[in-house]
Amino acid sequence: MEVLWFTRHGRMFEGRVLYLLVLFLWIPTEVVVGRTRTTVTNSTISSTSRVLSVGALFTFNSVIGRSAKAGLMAAVEDLKANSSVLPGIKLELILHDTNCSGFAGTMEALKLMEDEVIAAIGPQSSGIAHIVSHVVNELHVPLVSFGATDPSLSSLQYPYFVRTTQSDYYQMYAIADLVDYYRWREVIAIYVDDDNGRNGISVLGDALAKKRGKISYKAAFPPGALKKDISDLLNRVNLLESRVFVLHVNPETGLSIFSLAEKLGMMNSGYVWIATDWLASVLDSLDPVDPHTVNLLQGVLVLRHHTPDTNEKKSFFSRLKKLKDKETPSFNSYALYAYDSVWLVAHALDAFLKQGGVVSFSSDTRLNNTNGSMLNLQSLRVFGEGPTFLQTTLRTNFTGLTGQVQFDMEKNRIHPAYDILNIGGSGMRRIGYWSNYSSLSVVAPEILYKKPRNTSTSSQQLYGVIWPGETAAKPRGWVFPNNGKPLRIAVPNRVSYLQFVAKDKNPPGVRGYCIDVFEAAINLLPYPVPREYILFGPGNRNPSYDDLANQVALNNYDAAVGDVTIVPNRTRYLDFTQPYMESGLVVVVPVKEIKSSPWSFLKPFTAQMWCVTGAFFIFVGTVIWILEHRHNPEFRGRPKKQLMTVFWFSFSTMFFSHRENTVSGLGRLVLIIWLFVVLIINSSYTASLTSILTVQQLSSQIEGIDSLISSTQPIGIQEGSFARKYLTEELNIQPSRIVTLKNMEAYIDALERGPKDGGVMAVVDELPYIEVLMSSTSCKFRTVGQEFTKSGWGFAFQRDSPLAVDMSTAILQLSENGDLQKIHDKWLLKHDCSIEDSSADVNKLSLSSFWGLFLICGIACLLALIAFFIRVLCQYTKFNPEQPEQDDEEISPDRPPKRKGPFRSSTSFRDLMYFVDKKEKEIKEILRQKRKKRRRSLSEDGQSSSSA
């Protein structure tokens, strides 16, 4: 605490200056190196002494002090009744009231040190603890505090400071996890500008930074500030963007801040209030809580020190409530910490004495030399065994009302935890817990300590919250500032491709595809967005988009709207929305029409394909002739006629105009398969020929980015594009090859002239620009290869801007309902140019595409021939080669005379061919006659044998 003092001239100065001066007079400064100490022992208290003194420093009449006093007194009573700790030793508790004053607290601390206390319990104020720590450091007396939560008190500067409560370091990390859980990114910190407030909020800033959050504004007010000053402060923060307020103040002044906030309308829907443990201490001390106070705090989130719900704790609070002379209607958690502080000193002292420790005090000769001063410095005594007692205290481990009392290497309590409370209805309800072991959870920390540690984001969980305004919907956490300033939107002042974004004489001053998409997305937001468009660039050339992004990052603009590409180096310091147009770098080259050739009809097939197809026509015709020759009169006659029939039938099947009918089953099977093959070949030929006659050819040998890199020809890029940096830094293309082109007309001229006439070999630009270029020039240019970067266009906002997330959602809605495509068609769709490779060789069809069909057809032909010849051979073997010549002549009068001798000519190949050449009807008739003759011969032989 600080006290304001006035001079006789009416000038005010802070009491801190005065009590620091007094402190410097009372306590000599310590020389860091080479100091010698001379001590004289004036008195010694034996370990067997009956009475040992322990001091207590706190403000009696305060929210924390009233509960702490009850806890201290209860601990002393319980200690007297316990014979196992400090047997035969009476622990005397000396109370000193600091009166919420830093100066008075310092004086009381000095007086307390005159009583030769072995430990000082308190103070509750972090500001007083900072000063008193210097005193106890000099006198080697441990300072055991149940209420000083300033994180900086754990530093090495204060070795004799021991904290039995939880440091605000952990409370601020709990708030950071809470803010991150609800996906907020900015908070406003409202705090008292003292040691506890400043240091706590500093830790909060560090904790939020680890979660990619930040404190957007620190609203500090001095201790004892007037309501008018606090009201002015709240008015200022209410004009800011963030609506998440972290209130870190003293219990005595906190409720008045909520009262002022309610009058300013800051307790309504859309606001978020997170109060540190001071509010829980106030409400726990009220029994019952005033309904007006509860109504005032509806929807507020509160943190409270977590203490296990044990029977000992319930019994303790029940005992305190039965006290007749109690000064407070109820008690908060500081009563528990004060109680455990006394027991910590008792356990440590018991262990210290059992280990042979001696309680002794001595004087410092430096304090005796007062140089005639009236200050009683020689009354201050140094605890001789203070360092040993301090180490014994830090090693003490026992289970108290607040849980396990044990310290880590940094002198903090192990297992720090907080209850997360939500004020709603008629009181507070717990929505979860926080601990440094498992972060946010709905399970009590003491249960989670028995399980493996888990702090993953997916495991974080809290129950539902009733927010200010009695709504269950999570507040957005920010609004547009109420300071009358619209959103400053930078728009590229382009000189080319004005379809995307351009200057306009009519409001809002700009137009184009990008502007329409942004306006459509803004209109989908559930809140108004005041905005103004500001052109960026000189106007005579395209601006640098990297410079535009830097200006937004430097807070000269709030956002950038236009054809801004999302590239990695920009995302490092800007937040982009969901891409509203896909983009990527492509290579574009000029094209020319192919002039028709008299021999274009040969181009659909390769030479190999033509040869195989022709051979199969002849082969299939021959197979059909063989299969039909014995059955079909149309396939008989003179050899010259038969040869013409084979060729005519084969090639007429190409047009399905063959006039010869097939009558044999095998012939029809082969013909059906062949006609299917012909159908496929005809269709493929027609499609390929059509493509070749209408296709365009590239006028250069560039086939993509790889061939462009390997060449040495100049490359054109758009002015202001990121393509230059990408080509030179990522693809290692020489900067001398890069030619900057100002507009689309320059593109066309450079591509048409080519590198020989001072133009470029190809242009590298983003696909949306190239599509407009090709559409505007009736497809005189063509992209080659694939996109070699994958990116998109998005709207850029300052880092951690909450508007980026909402705009991304709106863009997705535009895409789903089709409005995004409608805007695209309105500005960009003119003439579609197919982007495909048009090389003539690619359109040629080779044998590899049809060998399967030819294989099926060939197998069918071979199987049909095999079946045919097997049938012929079967018929041929039915003729008897031993029959007489006259019989043979009768059977076949047209047959040539056979040779005489033992080798009969009926078995010759020539006879077989004559047999094959016979008509099927004749063969059947011969076989029928042969069977009749054989039966007649058999009957005659039977009659002759019977008559004999």
Side-chain angles (χ1 to χ4, degrees):
M1 296 295 176
E2 299 182 41
V3 180
L4 301 181
W5 296 80
F6 294 86
T7 65
R8 64 176 180 175
H9 299 290
R11 295 182 179 177
M12 179 179 65
F13 64 95
E14 293 185 351
R16 173 173 294 184
V17 177
L18 181 60
Y19 69 66
L20 284 178
L21 290 175
V22 174
L23 179 63
F24 291 149
L25 291 175
W26 273 77
I27 305 300
T29 57
E30 180 176 330
V31 180
V32 177
V33 180
R35 191 188 71 171
T36 60
R37 177 187 294 271
T38 302
T39 61
V40 178
T41 303
N42 294 330
S43 63
T44 301
I45 300 177
S46 172
S47 60
T48 60
S49 299
R50 304 286 302 175
V51 179
L52 292 178
S53 299
V54 175
L57 287 167
F58 59 96
T59 300
F60 294 171
N61 188 24
S62 64
V63 173
I64 296 176
R66 288 188 289 268
S67 291
K69 184 177 180 181
L72 293 171
M73 302 307 295
V76 172
E77 292 180 4
D78 292 346
L79 187 60
K80 291 179 182 179
N82 191 312
S83 59
S84 61
V85 179
L86 293 178
I89 301 296
K90 179 181 179 182
L91 199 64
E92 182 183 26
L93 186 64
I94 304 174
L95 304 180
H96 283 258
D97 189 359
T98 58
N99 291 314
C100 289
S101 170
F103 180 77
T106 304
M107 295 299 101
E108 292 297 326
L110 294 174
K111 292 179 182 179
L112 182 63
M113 294 300 108
E114 296 177 355
D115 296 327
E116 297 184 349
V117 295
I118 60 171
I121 298 178
Q124 70 189 56
S125 168
S126 297
I128 298 177
H130 276 279
I131 301 173
V132 176
S133 292
H134 291 286
V135 178
V136 297
N137 287 351
E138 193 71 21
L139 303 180
H140 299 171
V141 176
L143 181 63
V144 182
S145 178
F146 57 82
T149 57
D150 181 4
S152 65
L153 288 170
S154 299
S155 66
L156 299 177
Q157 184 183 6
Y158 308 110
Y160 282 86
F161 179 83
V162 180
R163 185 177 8 233
T164 57
T165 186
Q166 299 174 16
S167 171
D168 277 344
Y169 175 89
Y170 300 106
Q171 180 170 214
M172 296 308 165
Y173 271 84
I175 294 176
D177 284 345
L178 195 62
V179 171
D180 182 67
Y181 177 79
Y182 290 110
R183 300 295 184 266
W184 298 315
R185 286 289 171 257
E186 295 183 4
V187 303
I188 294 176
I190 303 175
Y191 61 98
V192 180
D193 192 15
D194 58 11
D195 292 326
N196 184 59
R198 284 190 303 271
N199 295 329
I201 296 303
S202 176
V203 173
L204 176 61
D206 296 339
L208 287 172
K210 294 181 180 180
K211 302 289 185 179
R212 289 194 61 190
K214 67 178 181 179
I215 300 176
S216 60
Y217 185 76
K218 294 182 179 181
F221 60 89
L226 301 176
K227 287 187 176 181
K228 180 181 180 303
D229 297 332
I230 298 177
S231 180
D232 293 340
L233 180 67
L234 293 178
N235 270 314
R236 288 199 302 271
V237 300
N238 199 30
L239 296 176
L240 302 178
E241 181 180 273
S242 178
R243 283 292 180 266
V244 181
F245 302 107
V246 176
L247 192 57
H248 186 49
V249 296
N250 298 323
E252 286 72 25
T253 60
L255 290 180
S256 62
I257 295 177
F258 282 115
S259 179
L260 293 172
E262 183 187 35
K263 294 179 180 179
L264 297 175
M266 299 174 66
M267 301 299 295
N268 298 326
S269 177
Y271 289 85
V272 178
W273 288 89
I274 302 175
T276 53
D277 62 283
W278 67 266
L279 182 55
S281 300
V282 172
L283 297 179
D284 287 341
S285 301
L286 302 176
D287 187 19
V289 181
D290 183 10
H292 174 72
T293 301
V294 175
N295 292 333
L296 174 68
L297 302 175
Q298 290 292 306
V300 176
L301 293 179
V302 187
L303 272 71
R304 179 173 62 191
H305 297 127
H306 174 73
T307 54
D309 291 329
T310 60
N311 294 330
E312 291 79 4
K313 171 184 169 182
K314 296 176 182 179
S315 176
F316 174 75
F317 278 128
S318 176
R319 192 177 88 185
L320 292 184
K321 290 180 180 181
K322 294 179 181 179
L323 295 177
K324 297 181 180 180
D325 57 344
K326 61 182 180 180
E327 300 175 359
T328 179
S330 186
F331 301 92
N332 53 44
S333 61
Y334 286 98
L336 304 175
Y337 287 108
Y339 182 90
D340 283 351
S341 298
V342 175
W343 277 97
L344 172 65
V345 173
H347 281 291
L349 182 59
D350 184 64
F352 171 74
L353 296 176
K354 288 179 179 179
Q355 293 170 3
V358 177
V359 177
S360 61
F361 293 88
S362 61
S363 298
D364 193 335
T365 55
R366 295 174 306 161
L367 301 179
N368 293 332
N369 187 12
T370 61
N371 294 325
S373 173
M374 299 298 294
L375 298 175
N376 190 21
L377 298 179
Q378 63 272 15
S379 63
L380 298 179
R381 319 280 281 178
V382 179
F383 184 10
E385 297 293 328
T388 304
F389 181 59
L390 173 65
Q391 296 305 318
T392 303
T393 302
L394 294 176
R395 289 194 299 268
T396 301
N397 182 5
F398 70 99
T399 301
L401 297 180
T402 58
Q404 186 177 2
V405 180
Q406 186 181 357
F407 300 96
D408 59 18
M409 297 299 295
E410 296 180 354
K411 299 187 299 179
N412 290 317
R413 286 278 298 268
I414 64 170
H415 298 323
Y418 289 86
D419 296 336
I420 310 296
L421 309 175
N422 178 218
I423 301 178
S426 58
M428 295 186 296
R429 65 183 184 92
R430 185 163 50 201
I431 62 172
Y433 306 89
W434 180 92
S435 70
N436 69 332
Y437 186 80
S438 58
S439 192
L440 299 175
S441 174
V442 295
V443 181
E446 49 270 17
I447 298 177
L448 296 176
Y449 294 150
K450 303 175 183 178
K451 301 178 180 179
R453 185 171 184 175
N454 184 9
T455 57
S456 64
T457 305
S458 59
S459 66
Q460 308 300 296
Q461 186 178 3
L462 292 175
Y463 291 122
V465 176
I466 302 299
W467 302 99
E470 298 183 356
T471 176
K474 186 199 77 169
R476 192 168 63 247
W478 67 277
V479 295
F480 283 96
N482 296 328
N483 51 18
K485 294 182 180 179
L487 200 68
R488 300 164 300 170
I489 302 175
V491 177
N493 192 7
R494 296 189 57 88
V495 297
S496 63
Y497 296 108
L498 302 182
Q499 299 93 331
F500 297 105
V501 62
K503 182 180 180 181
D504 192 15
K505 296 181 180 179
N506 301 321
V510 288
R511 60 181 176 84
Y513 167 74
C514 302
I515 303 300
D516 281 4
V517 173
F518 183 77
E519 287 290 329
I522 285 289
N523 293 333
L524 290 178
L525 299 181
Y527 47 86
V529 181
R531 56 197 177 278
E532 64 174 342
Y533 295 99
I534 305 172
L535 291 172
F536 178 84
N540 57 355
R541 57 183 176 84
N542 291 336
S544 170
Y545 282 66
D546 286 336
D547 292 343
L548 174 61
N550 289 330
Q551 291 300 313
V552 176
L554 293 174
N555 199 27
N556 294 326
Y557 301 100
D558 297 313
V561 172
D563 47 341
V564 183
T565 306
I566 306 173
V567 292
N569 64 315
R570 296 173 186 168
T571 58
R572 294 188 181 99
Y573 51 85
L574 291 178
D575 279 350
F576 282 88
T577 63
Q578 171 82 14
Y580 61 88
M581 173 173 275
E582 298 297 327
S583 178
L585 291 178
V586 294
V587 179
V588 62
V589 296
V591 296
K592 64 179 181 180
E593 296 289 341
I594 293 180
K595 295 182 180 179
S596 298
S597 169
W599 305 101
S600 297
F601 67 91
L602 295 175
K603 292 182 178 180
F605 291 158
T606 61
Q608 184 186 33
M609 180 66 181
W610 279 118
C611 293
V612 173
T613 303
F616 256 82
F617 271 106
I618 297 174
F619 173 68
V620 172
T622 302
V623 171
I624 296 295
W625 179 83
I626 293 174
L627 298 177
E628 292 290 323
H629 179 70
R630 304 181 70 192
H631 301 272
N632 197 337
E634 296 180 358
F635 288 87
R636 299 186 67 84
R638 292 172 298 175
K640 182 178 181 180
K641 178 184 176 184
Q642 295 303 300
L643 184 63
M644 292 299 298
T645 300
V646 169
F647 279 97
W648 167 254
F649 180 84
S650 299
F651 289 100
S652 63
T653 56
M654 180 184 297
F655 311 102
F656 304 99
S657 59
H658 50 284
R659 61 189 180 187
E660 293 82 6
N661 295 321
T662 53
V663 295
S664 66
L666 293 175
R668 289 176 177 178
L669 175 63
V670 171
L671 182 61
I672 289 175
I673 296 175
W674 173 243
L675 290 179
F676 176 74
V677 174
V678 170
L679 175 65
I680 299 300
I681 293 175
N682 280 345
S683 301
S684 302
Y685 176 86
T686 303
S688 181
L689 181 62
T690 303
S691 176
I692 290 175
L693 294 179
T694 58
V695 82
Q696 292 175 317
Q697 267 190 331
L698 302 177
S699 61
S700 69
Q701 299 302 317
I702 301 299
E703 299 178 354
I705 186 62
D706 293 333
S707 58
L708 186 63
I709 293 174
S710 60
S711 71
T712 59
Q713 301 298 333
I715 304 171
I717 64 167
Q718 183 181 172
E719 186 177 29
S721 172
F722 75 97
R724 172 184 291 276
K725 188 173 183 180
Y726 184 85
L727 293 177
T728 56
E729 296 183 2
E730 300 294 333
L731 302 182
N732 298 320
I733 295 178
Q734 293 297 325
S736 58
R737 293 179 57 192
I738 308 300
V739 178
T740 301
L741 303 175
K742 186 176 182 180
N743 50 36
M744 186 166 58
E745 290 73 18
Y747 274 32
I748 298 173
D749 179 66
L751 286 171
E752 289 180 342
R753 285 190 290 117
K756 295 182 179 180
D757 296 330
V760 296
M761 174 65 72
V763 166
V764 174
D765 206 348
E766 296 181 74
L767 184 58
Y769 302 121
I770 299 306
E771 288 178 342
V772 173
L773 172 67
M774 293 190 299
S775 177
S776 302
T777 56
S778 300
C779 304
K780 293 175 60 177
F781 305 99
R782 179 67 54 86
T783 62
V784 291
Q786 301 294 325
E787 296 181 49
F788 54 92
T789 64
K790 290 295 183 181
S791 59
W793 290 355
F795 303 126
F797 293 88
Q798 292 180 7
R799 195 70 170 174
D800 298 325
S801 173
L803 191 60
V805 178
D806 290 352
M807 286 294 289
S808 295
T809 304
I811 291 173
L812 291 176
Q813 292 179 6
L814 290 175
S815 178
E816 291 175 357
N817 60 26
D819 290 343
L820 193 61
Q821 185 62 41
K822 293 178 182 178
I823 299 174
H824 179 276
D825 297 344
K826 170 187 173 182
W827 286 96
L828 306 179
L829 187 61
K830 291 184 179 180
H831 181 69
D832 185 23
C833 297
S834 59
I835 304 175
E836 59 184 8
D837 193 353
S838 56
S839 176
D841 291 338
V842 175
N843 292 317
K844 285 189 175 183
L845 301 176
S846 64
L847 180 62
S848 60
S849 302
F850 299 93
W851 69 267
L853 288 174
F854 287 129
L855 178 63
I856 294 174
C857 183
I859 292 175
C861 292
L862 291 176
L863 292 177
L865 288 176
I866 291 172
F868 172 77
F869 281 114
I870 290 175
R871 185 170 179 271
V872 170
L873 290 175
C874 290
Q875 290 178 345
Y876 184 70
T877 55
K878 293 180 180 180
F879 288 92
N880 185 5
E882 301 296 334
Q883 59 184 337
E885 291 182 5
Q886 61 270 19
D887 295 337
D888 293 340
E889 291 175 0
E890 292 178 1
I891 294 173
S892 181
D894 297 333
R895 191 172 180 177
K898 299 186 179 185
R899 291 179 298 175
K900 306 289 183 179
F903 183 79
R904 294 188 176 275
S905 61
S906 60
T907 61
S908 67
F909 179 75
R910 184 178 181 183
D911 291 340
L912 178 61
M913 290 297 101
Y914 274 111
F915 179 78
V916 172
D917 189 54
K918 291 291 184 181
K919 293 181 179 181
E920 185 72 18
K921 292 181 178 180
E922 295 178 357
I923 294 300
K924 290 180 178 181
E925 181 63 24
I926 292 173
L927 293 176
R928 188 176 62 82
Q929 293 295 333
K930 185 177 177 63
R931 285 193 298 270
K932 287 182 178 181
K933 184 176 180 181
R934 185 180 294 112
R935 286 194 298 268
R936 188 170 54 251
S937 174
L938 291 174
S939 62
E940 290 176 356
D941 292 341
Q943 292 175 0
S944 299
S945 61
S946 61
S947 60

